[in-house]
């Protein structure tokens, strides 16, 4: 979505937040809102214009009534101020309920205040008893909802199944259910879930990648078909599931725990993702994956080369120190010393970097110094720290 579409969508979301504050309802809370429909225009969907006008009216009334109704103004402006960062121009994800925790304090304060004022003005005993009964019923309803939600959160597999059923268009809800099935040993059902995700979301390679990762843990299940997997990795939309699965696969290969997937094929998968423009902002992580994989297969030169690419994208001393480690462990002491000089120069940035890296640099300098002295016969070789 574009910035304009984000702002239009946030108008609807803010009113949705208000609705959850004022009138909480069962089965509306959760973590996954990647299926929330984006507003593509003032009338797409039609509720967009109404939401924008409603928010404008709330803001105008809050300023206009700030002297006559300061508590109302406080409630509205507090709510808007609380959402000013995450619900405006910063390109974060559209919807998260936790953003509402602090902003809801204003509206709830106003509800309590005006409820008390209205109660004191009532003169009818019957009406007071009726309102008291409604308040008690509301409290019981909220307590039951809290119990229901807590019970659901205490059963992760059931929770994942419920959320997947409630949100069939949420890719994350479906992936969460697949992950929970795998954790509970239901590999065949998890495979079916990931295959369903791949079919339902044709622009996303996340389902296939999670399926591939699952296959490394459970040799009995079939691996996903390679042709559509590579096609989606090359042209599909960005998905955190892809990079997460690649990270996990690299770790499994380092631990020698996935013989079904050859190193060369995993390298090919990573390079395919790297060539996809949708993952341009994740190239640093992808180069890191490659460096770890090359190092694990005994190819320090390629590992160092990949970290050169990481450094070019984000120059940090910690990257160069990793290169020093790879080179030193492979016996390339001269090259390692050259990179250590580079690390010392790169560490002259922030104070935090100097504190975290200086001691490591000093250890390597002492190590190479002892090696050089040993070679010239000035002192006996010291054990490598």
């Amino acid at each position: 979505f574009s910035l304009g579409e984000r702002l239009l969508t946030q108008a609807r979301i803010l009113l949705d937040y208000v609705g959850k504050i004022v009138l909480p309802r069962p089965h509306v809370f959760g973590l996954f809102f990647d299926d929330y429909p984006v507003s593509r225009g003032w009338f797409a969907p039609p509720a967009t214009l109404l939401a924008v006008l409603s928010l404008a009216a709330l803001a105008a009334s809050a300023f206009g009534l700030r002297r006559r109704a300061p508590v109302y103004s406080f409630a509205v402006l507090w709510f808007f101020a609380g959402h000013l960062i995450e619900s405006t121009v910063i390109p974060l994800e559209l919807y998260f309920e936790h953003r509402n925790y602090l902003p809801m304090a204003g509206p709830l304060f106003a509800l309590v205040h005006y409820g008390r004022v209205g109660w004191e003005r009532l003169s009818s005993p019957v009406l007071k008893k009726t309102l008291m009964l409604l308040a008690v019923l509301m409290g019981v309803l909220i307590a039951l909802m809290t119990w229901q939600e807590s019970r659901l959160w205490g059963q992760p597999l059931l929770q994942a199944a419920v959320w997947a059923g409630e949100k069939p268009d949420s890719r994350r809800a479906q992936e969460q259910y697949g992950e929970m099935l795998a954790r509970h040993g239901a590999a065949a059902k998890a495979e079916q879930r990931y295959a369903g995700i791949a079919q339902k979301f044709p622009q996303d390679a996340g389902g296939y990648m999670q399926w591939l990762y699952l296959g490394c843990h459970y040799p009995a299940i079939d691996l996903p078909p390679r042709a559509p997997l590579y096609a989606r990795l090359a042209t599909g939309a960005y998905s955190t599931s892809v990079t997460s699965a690649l990270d996990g696969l690299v770790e499994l290969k380092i631990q020698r725990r996935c013989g079904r997937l050859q190193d060369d094929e995993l390298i090919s998968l990573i390079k395919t993702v790297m060539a996809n423009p949708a993952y341009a902002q994740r190239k640093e992580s992808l180069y890191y994956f490659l460096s770890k994989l090359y190092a694990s297969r005994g190819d320090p030169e390629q590992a160092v080369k990949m970290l050169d690419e990481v450094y070019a994208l984000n120059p940090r001393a910690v990257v160069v120190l990793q290169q020093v480690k790879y080179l030193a462990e492979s016996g390339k002491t001269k090259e390692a010393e050259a990179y250590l000089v580079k690390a010392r120069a790169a560490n002259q940035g922030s104070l935090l970097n100097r504190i975290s890296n200086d001691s490591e640099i000093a250890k390597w300098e002492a190590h190479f110094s002892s090696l050089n002295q040993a070679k010239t016969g000035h002192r006996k070789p010291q054990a490598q720290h």
Side-chain angles (χ1 to χ4, degrees):
F1 49 83
S2 66
L3 177 58
E5 290 170 341
R6 171 184 168 78
L7 292 173
L8 290 175
T9 307
Q10 285 302 319
R12 293 168 38 233
I13 292 174
L14 287 174
L15 288 185
D16 200 13
Y17 288 160
V18 173
K20 289 184 176 181
I21 295 171
V22 177
L23 189 62
R25 305 170 303 285
H27 307 296
V28 298
F29 301 104
L31 289 179
F32 304 115
F33 293 94
D34 52 304
D35 59 339
Y36 195 86
V38 177
S39 291
R40 302 300 180 183
W42 293 99
F43 298 98
T48 303
L49 179 60
L50 179 61
V52 172
L53 293 176
S54 299
L55 292 181
L58 280 172
S61 64
F63 279 106
L65 297 173
R66 65 187 183 278
R67 299 187 190 282
R68 293 167 52 194
V71 175
Y72 168 77
S73 295
F74 162 77
V76 174
L77 297 178
W78 177 278
F79 178 79
F80 284 153
H83 285 290
L84 194 61
I85 294 178
E86 294 177 306
S87 298
T88 53
V89 297
I90 299 177
L92 304 172
E93 294 197 29
L94 292 174
Y95 196 128
F96 275 116
E97 287 175 349
H98 68 256
R99 297 173 182 172
N100 225 18
Y101 292 162
L102 185 59
M104 72 190 297
L108 290 177
F109 181 85
L111 285 173
V112 173
H113 169 77
Y114 287 115
R116 172 180 170 273
V117 170
W119 177 265
E120 292 176 347
R121 292 180 180 177
L122 285 176
S123 57
S124 171
V126 175
L127 189 55
K128 279 194 171 185
K129 289 181 180 180
T130 302
L131 291 177
M132 187 179 295
L133 177 61
L134 290 174
V136 171
L137 290 175
M138 186 66 178
V140 171
L141 176 62
I142 292 176
L144 288 173
M145 289 169 52
T146 301
W147 173 80
Q148 182 187 45
E149 288 292 321
S150 299
R151 183 170 173 269
L152 188 63
W153 278 76
Q155 303 177 75
L157 180 58
L158 176 61
Q159 180 193 58
V162 169
W163 283 354
E166 290 178 348
K167 290 182 167 289
D169 295 327
S170 168
R171 175 179 51 79
R172 290 178 180 172
Q174 305 308 314
E175 288 178 350
Q176 171 81 353
Y177 188 29
E179 180 181 347
M180 287 296 106
L181 287 169
R183 287 187 182 183
H184 286 77
K189 291 183 178 179
E191 178 189 2
Q192 293 174 3
R193 179 64 49 172
Y194 290 136
I197 294 171
Q199 183 177 4
K200 186 175 181 64
F201 302 95
Q203 297 301 318
D204 187 347
Y208 279 134
M209 288 302 299
Q210 295 290 351
W211 183 358
L212 183 62
Y213 182 72
L214 180 72
C216 280
H217 287 278
Y218 297 94
I221 71 169
D222 295 328
L223 293 180
R226 297 300 198 275
L229 170 59
Y230 275 95
R232 292 193 189 186
L233 289 177
T235 61
Y238 173 77
S239 171
T240 55
S241 298
V242 170
T243 52
S244 175
L246 287 174
D247 191 13
L249 288 169
V250 169
E251 291 301 321
L252 288 177
K253 293 301 294 181
I254 291 173
Q255 299 166 17
R256 305 292 188 267
R257 292 176 53 198
C258 187
R260 305 180 72 187
L261 183 67
Q262 300 302 312
D263 288 357
D264 288 339
E265 183 172 11
L266 182 52
I267 290 172
S268 178
L269 290 171
I270 296 173
K271 289 184 176 180
T272 300
V273 176
M274 195 177 290
N276 185 338
Y279 291 85
Q281 299 300 318
R282 297 305 305 272
K283 277 192 174 182
E284 181 182 346
S285 297
L286 295 170
Y287 277 121
Y288 250 125
F289 298 162
L290 287 174
S291 71
K292 292 196 295 184
L293 193 56
Y294 280 124
S296 72
R297 61 186 291 179
D299 192 347
E301 292 183 358
Q302 280 297 318
V304 169
K305 184 178 178 181
M306 294 300 101
L307 288 176
D308 282 338
E309 299 292 342
V310 173
Y311 187 84
L313 293 168
N314 187 6
R316 294 172 295 151
V318 67
V319 177
V320 189
L321 285 171
Q322 187 63 49
Q323 293 174 300
V324 172
K325 181 175 182 292
Y326 286 155
L327 291 168
E329 288 177 344
S330 63
K332 299 180 182 296
T333 305
K334 190 172 182 180
E335 293 91 333
E337 287 185 89
Y339 271 97
L340 188 59
V341 173
K342 181 180 178 180
R344 173 65 75 183
N347 203 44
Q348 300 306 309
S350 70
L351 177 62
L352 183 61
N353 286 338
R354 292 200 299 272
I355 292 174
S356 61
N357 296 322
D358 265 349
S359 61
E360 185 70 15
I361 292 173
K363 288 178 182 179
W364 278 113
E365 288 174 338
H367 170 66
F368 291 133
S369 176
S370 66
L371 287 180
N372 291 331
Q373 290 177 8
K375 288 179 180 179
T376 58
H378 291 166
R379 57 183 295 182
K380 293 181 180 180
Q382 294 183 356
Q384 181 175 343
H385 60 270

